[in-house]
Amino acid sequence: MSAATPLIQLKDVVLKFGDRPVLDGINLAVRPRDRLVIMGQSGSGKSTMLRLILGILKPTRGEVLYRHLRVNRLSRSKLNRLRSRIGMVYQYSALISSLTVRENLALPLEELTRKPEREIDAMIEEKLAMVGMSGTEDKLPSELSGGMRKRISLARALMLDPELILFDEPSAGLDPVISSVIDELIINLTEQTNTTSVVVTHEMDSAFRVATRMAMLFEGKIIQDDLPENFKESTNPIVRQFVTGEVEGPITEGITSHADHSK
Ligand SMILES: Nc1ncnc2c1ncn2[C@@H]1O[C@H](COP(=O)(O)OP(=O)(O)O)[C@@H](O)[C@H]1O
Ligand SMILES: [Mg+2]
């Protein structure tokens, strides 16, 4: 497969919750080794897009492709096999608070593979070293800082050596310094392992640090899909307002949901 063949494709994807189209005709391709940052306001459908890629949600219309696989038509067992190739880093880390770091990291392997304990331990050690958290196996999430928990959730996403990692708001709840450290880690790890990634965020500093490509979601549509440098120079007033964080502009506080002015 050539490097230009997309790993993921969304084709004319419409997703409605009830009558409301949260996504309204999305076309997007993620190519191998992209770090695609999807930007958009809170409630614009970013997490929903990740759930579509994972096959947790099915589009109302259109197709989600993973290589040649139609994600929205896979059987349960094929979907599980596909998910074992995708790592997910959830917003606020989502570690299980009653389990140690070791137990949290072992979960994806125990659920999706049949590896002996010794092999699992060796993999845990390797992934913890990759995220700079060696020796924390016996800690509980509550004994770690927010940044450390984020590192552990990154290690968990790496457990099955994924070819794709999805990050939902990786810097949510972290202070600016820690969030730039996490951004660096995302860049280093994805480059080191040749992993493709999709990063969802509404934080511009983080977006420009991490992205090799960007897409902006607004009112159910991708209004720009481009290189980061072109986003900085964008002439689209919505993109400009989002990138610069200005109060005045076409983006309002979501008082008008986009369902209100859809055709
Ligand atoms: N399971 C669901 N049922 C109904 N509405 C939902 C569901 N999930 C998300 N939504 C709505 O869809 C919109 C997009 O949500 P989401 O993808 O979580 O936004 P974002 O991640 O960009 O903040 C929001 O208005 C949200 O309330
Ligand atoms: Mg979200």
Side-chain angles (χ1 to χ4, degrees):
M1 175 168 294
S2 88
T5 310
L7 185 59
I8 305 166
Q9 273 181 282
L10 274 67
K11 290 187 169 175
D12 297 318
V13 166
V14 174
L15 185 96
K16 291 187 184 178
F17 289 120
D19 291 339
R20 197 164 80 89
V22 169
L23 302 176
D24 193 10
I26 299 285
N27 286 290
L28 189 68
V30 186
R31 291 181 183 79
R33 308 207 51 192
D34 274 352
R35 267 193 312 278
L36 172 68
V37 172
I38 298 174
M39 303 179 293
Q41 288 172 286
S42 180
S44 60
K46 303 182 298 298
S47 298
T48 298
M49 260 169 83
L50 298 184
R51 287 188 202 111
L52 280 168
I53 294 170
L54 284 167
I56 294 168
L57 288 173
K58 294 200 188 310
T60 312
R61 225 176 54 214
E63 292 280 6
V64 179
L65 297 176
Y66 192 100
R67 298 192 191 277
H68 63 284
L69 300 172
R70 289 163 199 263
V71 175
N72 44 312
R73 298 192 193 174
L74 293 179
S75 64
R76 173 120 317 256
S77 67
K78 287 198 171 135
L79 194 54
N80 278 338
R81 208 175 315 148
L82 172 65
R83 284 184 192 155
S84 72
R85 289 149 66 180
I86 305 177
M88 176 77 205
V89 177
Y90 295 92
Q91 199 172 2
Y92 306 115
S93 303
L95 300 170
I96 298 175
S97 60
S98 58
L99 300 183
T100 62
V101 166
R102 175 188 283 108
E103 291 163 342
N104 269 287
L105 295 191
L107 275 184
L109 287 174
E110 288 168 355
E111 277 169 11
L112 295 164
T113 71
R114 294 172 179 280
K115 293 194 189 298
E117 196 176 344
R118 194 182 315 152
E119 204 174 313
I120 293 181
D121 279 345
M123 290 176 72
I124 289 172
E125 204 178 320
E126 180 201 330
K127 306 307 178 195
L128 285 177
M130 287 172 77
V131 300
M133 292 292 291
S134 292
T136 56
E137 281 90 339
D138 295 323
K139 300 268 188 217
L140 286 168
S142 59
E143 299 177 276
L144 304 171
S145 68
M148 288 171 167
R149 285 201 289 272
K150 188 60 71 176
R151 285 172 189 268
I152 301 298
S153 71
L154 238 161
R156 181 180 56 187
L158 292 168
M159 285 304 289
L160 294 167
D161 296 320
E163 58 185 356
L164 172 71
I165 307 182
L166 307 177
F167 295 90
D168 198 349
E169 308 262 5
S171 44
L174 301 178
D175 70 52
V177 175
I178 302 300
S179 87
S180 50
V181 171
I182 295 297
D183 289 341
E184 285 304 316
L185 186 62
I186 291 171
I187 295 166
N188 292 338
L189 286 176
T190 50
E191 287 187 353
Q192 228 177 72
T193 56
N194 289 331
T195 311
T196 307
S197 56
V198 178
V199 181
V200 147
T201 190
H202 65 272
E203 292 177 48
M204 284 304 97
D205 290 346
S206 182
F208 280 108
R209 267 196 300 269
V210 169
T212 60
R213 230 184 84 216
M214 293 177 149
M216 173 143 179
L217 196 55
F218 185 74
E219 300 193 333
K221 299 197 164 28
I222 301 282
I223 57 168
Q224 190 165 351
D225 175 354
D226 222 327
L227 295 172
E229 54 261 41
N230 296 335
F231 264 87
K232 286 196 175 136
E233 310 289 316
S234 180
T235 52
N236 182 315
I238 298 163
V239 174
R240 284 198 67 81
Q241 188 191 358
F242 199 78
V243 166
T244 57
E246 277 160 20
V247 176
E248 294 297 321
I251 302 177
T252 58
E253 275 176 80
I255 302 156
T256 53
S257 111
H258 73 264
D260 298 337
H261 38 105
S262 63
K263 13 349 45 164

